[in-house]
């Protein structure tokens, strides 16, 4: 105990000294403070594993919590408090959330002289004045620490703080540029340079959130971008840019935008075709149409911060072996240093998969196959989705989410059968050492 106290005093002195540039002390090897308590960050990667500062493996087992819709606010707060939603996830044994946000939120902050808009304005803009004020009233009744003048970012702050209190890791995901339901290939958010997807706004937004997230003890990782996809309604952009070569150019900009502001965070790289494959990165083959290859030296100083993320929605699968083989060749191969074709070894996290929450779907080929694969691989995952409903989705207010773990009013599990029979065992099988 004494040893660890001395160590933590020493570490905080180091942290203090490194924040005064005039001090000519040697910088600590880890450029951010090492935490001697939960979450034991900053995390680093070591081969296929994510390690905390105790050297223990970290395997994400969590749920997606959408906050990138039209309101650009985390969903569900008109039905429940932040605390009760986090408590629900915690009660399952989950250890993380993938909290999504839209770049437009940060664009509006810059467009508004650095000030975020209030939740009153956000609800009114997205839902109209009558429904907006009715929903706001319910949000405030459930979450009395908020007022009409609370800003959107303060709501994100409150979620991050509650996650810290309950020891839930926050993984922050840039889901969209424009705040809206995601995704299709014609929504203007598909690819770098698409209608709403300004690269400059994107890197600015990543930097902003990385910097802002320094005040969130629960924040351990950020993604670059959800579900990159072919911009099918822009033939020129599609032909000239939707490829691995441009992918690489932009992901280097995105990782630098995050790492330059917050050295502690892991950064998740997502693949093409709705983030369903990353094979050339794993196998170290040409990033076409060029001949360049993924090179760890391009991420000097933070090669041990990079994690791969994949999504899978092969819900119609009838053959589990085929599904598992495709997960492997699409990127989970990166977990396997013993495979000579896995030239670049990384941790891989399945940040989206999901299905109808009813009495039987969870027993089908897809759901059981994904669960057995993640358990065997000891790979991290985040299920889509916790939301029982959305403030608004694709123009429909109070939209029912039949894939939601929670019921419409976020009060109970939609499929208690799945939660007990499938989800809790999956959590146990993946996070246990
Ligand atoms: C406002 O809310 C009501 C009740 O939820 C709903 O029926 C109506 O469609 C909403 N208005 C709009 C413009 O969506
Ligand atoms: C919100 O801000 C406005 C303008 O500054 C102020 O008049 C109002 O009293 C504030 N409302 C609350 C609930 O804090
Ligand atoms: C980028 O952000 C600015 C505000 O700083 C905004 O005016 C502009 O529309 C944004 N670009 C895109 C493509 O959304």
């Amino acid at each position: 105990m004494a040893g660890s106290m001395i160590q933590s005093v020493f570490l905080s002195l180091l942290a203090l000294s490194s924040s005064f540039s005039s001090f000519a002390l040697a910088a600590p090897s880890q450029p951010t403070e090492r935490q001697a308590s939960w979450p034991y960050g900053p995390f680093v990667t070591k081969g296929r594993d994510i390690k905390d500062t105790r050297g223990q493996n970290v395997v994400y087992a969590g749920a997606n919590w959408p906050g990138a819709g039209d309101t650009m606010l985390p969903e569900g707060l008109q039905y429940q408090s932040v605390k009760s939603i986090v408590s629900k996830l915690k009660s399952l044994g989950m250890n993380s959330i993938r909290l999504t946000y839209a770049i437009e939120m940060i664009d509006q902050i810059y467009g508004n002289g650095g000030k975020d808009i209030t939740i009153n304005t956000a609800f009114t803009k997205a839902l109209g004045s009558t429904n907006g004020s009715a929903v706001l009233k319910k949000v405030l009744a459930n979450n009395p620490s908020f007022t009409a003048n609370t800003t959107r970012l303060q709501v994100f702050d409150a979620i991050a703080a509650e996650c810290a209190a309950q020891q839930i890791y926050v993984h922050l995901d840039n889901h969209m540029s424009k705040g809206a339901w995601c995704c299709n290939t014609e929504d203007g958010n598909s690819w770098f340079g698409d209608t709403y997807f300004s690269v400059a706004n994107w890197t600015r937004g990543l930097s902003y959130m990385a910097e802002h997230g320094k005040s969130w003890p629960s924040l351990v990782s950020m993604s670059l971008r959800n579900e990159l996809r072919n911009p099918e309604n822009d033939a020129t952009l599609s032909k000239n840019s939707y490829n691995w070569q441009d992918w690489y150019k932009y992901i280097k900009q995105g990782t630098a935008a995050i790492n330059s502001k917050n050295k502690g965070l892991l950064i998740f790289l997502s693949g093409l075709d709705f983030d369903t494959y990353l094979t050339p990165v794993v196998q170290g083959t040409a990033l076409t149409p060029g001949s360049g290859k993924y090179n760890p030296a391009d991420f000097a100083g933070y090669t041990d911060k990079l994690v791969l993320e994949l999504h899978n929605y092969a819900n119609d699968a009838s053959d589990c072996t085929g599904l598992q083989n495709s997960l492997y060749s699409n990127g989970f191969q990166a977990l396997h240093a013993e495979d000579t074709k896995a030239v670049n070894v990384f941790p891989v996290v399945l940040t989206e998969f999901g299905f109808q929450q009813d009495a039987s779907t969870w027993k089908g080929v897809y759901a059981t196959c994904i669960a057995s694969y993640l358990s065997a691989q000891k790979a991290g995952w985040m299920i889509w989705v916790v939301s029982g409903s959305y403030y608004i989705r694709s123009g429909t207010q109070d939209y029912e989410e039949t894939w939601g773990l929670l019921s419409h009013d976020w009060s109970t599990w939609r499929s208690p059968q799945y939660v007990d029979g499938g989800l809790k065992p999956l959590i146990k099988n993946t996070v246990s050492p």
Side-chain angles (χ1 to χ4, degrees):
M1 190 155 85
S4 71
M5 266 180 60
I6 289 166
Q7 190 190 22
S8 69
V9 168
F10 175 68
L11 288 172
S12 37
L13 279 174
L14 272 183
L16 199 65
S17 67
S18 67
S19 64
F20 293 99
S21 50
S22 56
F23 278 42
L25 292 180
S29 60
Q30 192 35 262
T32 48
E33 300 162 60
R34 287 173 61 85
Q35 294 157 347
S37 60
W38 190 91
Y40 300 99
F43 296 167
V44 292
T45 68
K46 190 163 181 233
R48 55 148 285 153
D49 294 317
I50 296 168
K51 299 281 186 186
D52 68 16
T53 52
R54 298 170 299 181
Q56 295 189 1
N57 284 349
V58 174
V59 179
Y60 292 82
N64 280 272
W65 189 343
D70 308 51
T71 63
M72 293 175 250
L73 275 166
E75 302 285 343
L77 304 176
Q78 84 276 43
Y79 288 122
Q80 302 294 329
S81 66
V82 168
K83 184 174 182 173
S84 84
I85 297 167
V86 175
S87 303
K88 286 246 168 19
L89 299 176
K90 183 74 182 179
S91 75
L92 300 173
M94 280 184 173
N95 62 14
S96 48
I97 59 168
R98 179 173 180 253
L99 184 59
T100 78
Y101 69 96
I103 292 295
E104 188 182 3
M105 174 172 73
I106 298 109
D107 291 346
Q108 290 178 349
I109 293 172
Y110 278 99
N112 191 32
K115 270 186 65 187
D116 192 10
I117 66 170
T118 65
I119 57 176
N120 183 16
T121 305
F123 281 121
T124 303
K125 271 177 84 172
L127 308 180
S129 60
T130 308
N131 284 6
S133 45
V135 168
L136 174 65
K137 220 170 134 190
K138 292 191 200 170
V139 170
L140 300 184
N142 288 321
N143 295 274
S145 66
F146 298 157
T147 73
N149 289 344
T150 296
T151 66
R152 289 172 302 197
L153 265 182
Q154 287 170 338
V155 173
F156 280 86
D157 292 345
I159 290 176
E162 186 58 37
C163 284
Q166 299 201 36
Q167 304 198 341
I168 297 281
Y169 308 130
V170 174
H171 168 74
L172 190 57
D173 171 68
N174 172 223
H175 212 65
M176 290 283 275
S177 285
K178 190 174 177 54
W181 174 251
C182 183
C183 311
N184 67 61
T185 51
E186 303 187 345
D187 64 8
N189 290 270
S190 300
W191 187 252
F192 309 96
D194 205 351
T195 315
Y196 303 111
F197 192 166
S198 147
V199 174
N201 289 27
W202 171 68
T203 51
R204 180 179 71 175
L206 293 176
S207 286
Y208 187 94
M209 293 307 282
E211 176 71 36
H212 184 82
K214 283 179 177 168
S215 61
W216 300 355
S218 50
L219 183 68
V220 294
S221 50
M222 278 176 70
S223 76
L224 292 182
R225 181 70 168 198
N226 177 63
E227 299 197 354
L228 294 162
R229 53 199 177 271
N230 191 355
E232 282 179 356
N233 57 344
D234 184 338
T236 310
L237 183 66
S238 171
K239 181 164 175 289
N240 295 343
S241 180
Y242 180 66
N243 58 51
W244 286 106
Q245 184 179 344
D246 274 23
W247 177 87
Y248 198 51
K249 173 174 88 183
Y250 294 122
I251 67 125
K252 283 186 281 187
Q253 295 178 22
T255 53
I258 293 174
N259 184 264
S260 63
K261 296 293 177 189
N262 190 331
K263 306 240 175 275
L265 299 174
L266 298 177
I267 304 172
F268 285 26
L269 314 185
S270 60
L272 296 195
D273 198 14
F274 293 88
D275 190 21
T276 54
Y277 77 113
L278 277 154
T279 314
V281 176
V282 178
Q283 298 189 350
T285 54
L287 298 167
T288 54
S291 56
K293 293 175 181 172
Y294 177 87
N295 181 358
D298 290 331
F299 306 89
Y302 54 101
T303 49
D304 64 351
K305 293 293 184 186
L306 305 181
V307 171
L308 303 186
E309 64 170 317
L310 286 174
H311 291 180
N312 186 281
Y313 288 110
N315 297 59
D316 296 334
S318 55
D319 163 24
C320 180
T321 307
L323 173 54
Q324 297 194 347
N325 288 343
S326 73
L327 286 167
Y328 188 85
S329 58
N330 288 341
F332 278 89
Q333 185 174 29
L335 295 173
H336 293 272
E338 78 284 358
D339 181 338
T340 53
K341 285 213 171 119
V343 169
N344 296 303
V345 174
F346 294 89
V348 186
V349 179
L350 191 67
T351 49
E352 283 191 28
F353 71 101
F355 48 88
Q356 289 278 347
Q357 293 296 308
D358 54 28
S360 61
T361 305
W362 65 277
K363 295 186 203 160
V365 172
Y366 170 74
T368 55
C369 188
I370 295 271
S372 70
Y373 193 70
L374 293 171
S375 302
Q377 302 290 320
K378 296 271 184 216
W381 52 274
M382 275 102 160
I383 193 168
W384 188 271
V385 60
V386 65
S387 347
S389 52
Y390 301 95
Y391 303 122
I392 181 169
R393 169 172 153 181
S394 308
T396 302
Q397 296 195 15
D398 201 23
Y399 187 104
E400 169 90 354
E401 174 55 279
T402 58
W403 289 29
L405 292 177
L406 291 170
S407 56
H408 189 96
D409 68 358
W410 296 54
S411 66
T412 56
W413 303 119
R414 193 175 279 271
S415 171
Q417 301 95 329
Y418 171 56
V419 165
D420 289 330
L423 188 56
K424 284 181 182 166
L426 173 61
I427 295 166
K428 193 162 162 281
N429 292 341
T430 44
V431 302
S432 66

